[in-house]
Amino acid sequence: MEIAHPYLLFLGDVPDALAAKTGLGIVDWRRDWCIGQHRLDGCKADAKLPEMSPQDAAKAGARTMVIGAVNAGGVLPDHWVASIVAALDAGMDVASGLHMRLGAVPAVREAAERNGRKLFDVRHSDMRFDTGKGTKRSGKRLLTVGTDCSVGKKYCALALEQAMRDKGFDADFRATGQTGVFISGRGVALDAVIADFISGAAEWISPAADETHWDLVEGQGSLFHPSFAGVTLGLLHGSQPDAFVVCHEPTRTNMRGVKTPLPTIQQVIDMTVALGKLTNPDIRCVGISINTVALDEAEARKLLADTEAEYGLPATDPVRFGCEGIVERIAAEFGKP
């Protein structure tokens, strides 16, 4: 799916910033795509954008209202429907990352039909993908992989896109989750793809390209997570990465949502190489990304220095300290632009 921007971000009446992480993530990386925000009474999240009604946003040029908030169960609350209908009547498309399809609400479906507007349910792809073939294709690819879920794989790939472009690389972020799709305007939520077609969807996300072009593929899950390893493996085989970066959150002991112990960074490197060789025998690790938000600066810098010394790879928090070291490693391994 390809979602038109600029966006109006709808934050509903969520109780905190965490419930609006999709919208806030869009603002973090694509502030220039966001015209304003539309909030209901009682909303406790704030993207620091101009407050706008759907009608005013459409007049200002907004092309899609993005539902940038979530709630328990991923359903669409009844009292949000009026704002969605108003956006459609104003001439905008509407995009959602909820589990519930927008078109399942009669008033929303009817408003889209009478206005000739599109409804994007980014967790539900209607596109038919081929099964993965594993055939070598042109271009370069980097995949972010994790010791766990929610450790910064998306933010690492986005930071690398920015840093590589700054150094003259031809590089594009490739989205595999709903927030990433909103940030890039294109992609597929892999957790909504039938298992047999995950690797094929990953091939579609990162197709053949010029030999100097880099696709920076957003990772999902972890090869060591008992709930999500299947998605991770399909993405690894389909994206066929030449390089990968291991993403890690240092304060965890168990994997998110389960009692499984967290693997070591070395275990993730070894497993990714062993399994990734099926579709790219030359796969290699080029860096380590550590989410240091829970550490003060001195602790963070010491951990990163110790990690670099232990693994012989550049280690950084891409959001906090940038990722120039990883970009330099990529240039050394694969050539400068």
Side-chain angles (χ1 to χ4, degrees), residues 29 157-169 171 216 322-327:
W29 295 100
L158 285 161
L160 278 169
E161 177 191 52
Q162 181 176 312
M164 290 180 73
R165 287 180 173 182
D166 288 345
K167 294 295 185 180
F169 283 90
L216 307 173
C323 46
E324 287 75 13
I326 297 177
V327 175

Side-chain angles (χ1 to χ4, degrees), residues 8-279:
L8 170 67
L9 298 185
F10 176 72
L11 303 183
D13 54 353
V14 295
D16 53 36
L18 184 61
K21 66 177 184 178
T22 294
L24 299 180
I26 295 170
V27 174
D28 280 345
W29 295 100
R30 296 291 186 261
R31 172 62 181 83
D32 55 324
W33 288 10
C34 301
I35 280 181
Q37 64 183 12
H38 180 50
R39 300 189 294 169
L40 303 180
D41 291 343
C43 183
K44 301 301 183 183
D46 188 356
K48 308 299 183 184
L49 296 170
E51 302 285 350
M52 288 187 174
S53 68
Q55 296 80 4
D56 289 341
K59 290 177 182 177
R63 299 179 64 189
T64 303
M65 185 171 85
V66 173
I67 299 177
V70 297
N71 62 350
V75 299
L76 181 64
D78 291 341
H79 62 286
W80 288 10
V81 172
S83 294
I84 295 170
V85 170
L88 293 164
D89 285 340
M92 284 184 280
D93 298 331
V94 176
S96 166
L98 299 173
H99 288 286
M100 180 178 178
R101 287 182 180 266
L102 291 167
V105 181
V108 173
R109 182 178 64 251
E110 292 163 7
E113 290 173 352
R114 71 171 174 264
N115 291 291
R117 306 316 308 168
K118 297 177 181 177
L119 300 175
F120 294 98
D121 298 290
V122 298
R123 282 188 180 270
H124 302 273
S125 175
D126 293 323
M127 182 174 175
R128 294 182 64 86
F129 298 104
D130 294 329
T131 55
K133 300 300 187 289
T135 305
K136 178 64 177 175
R137 57 194 188 275
S138 57
K140 297 287 191 298
R141 287 159 203 89
L142 181 147
L143 176 66
T144 53
V145 302
T147 55
D148 195 7
C149 307
S150 303
V151 290
K153 295 184 288 290
K154 174 174 67 265
Y155 273 51
C156 177
L158 285 161
L160 278 169
E161 177 191 52
Q162 181 176 312
M164 290 180 73
R165 287 180 173 182
D166 288 345
K167 294 295 185 180
F169 283 90
D170 177 16
D172 288 311
F173 170 75
R174 299 302 185 191
T176 62
Q178 73 268 22
T179 304
V181 172
F182 291 138
I183 290 171
S184 67
R186 180 182 185 273
V188 61
L190 281 185
D191 61 2
V193 176
I194 295 172
D196 279 359
F197 304 100
I198 290 173
S199 61
E203 290 180 356
W204 175 84
I205 290 166
S206 56
D210 186 89
E211 286 294 351
T212 61
H213 176 80
W214 280 89
D215 278 341
L216 307 173
V217 183
E218 174 191 8
Q220 294 294 327
S222 170
L223 290 172
F224 289 82
H225 200 294
S227 304
F228 310 116
V231 176
T232 310
L233 182 60
L235 177 56
L236 174 61
H237 286 159
S239 61
Q240 203 178 86
D242 301 276
F244 66 93
V245 174
V246 177
C247 302
H248 179 62
E249 205 286 343
T251 67
R252 298 184 194 174
T253 55
N254 287 345
M255 305 193 79
R256 188 175 175 86
V258 295
K259 296 180 180 179
T260 306
L262 204 73
T264 66
I265 291 171
Q266 189 62 56
Q267 285 176 313
V268 173
I269 292 173
D270 293 343
M271 184 71 78
T272 302
V273 170
L275 297 174
K277 282 185 175 182
L278 177 68
T279 55

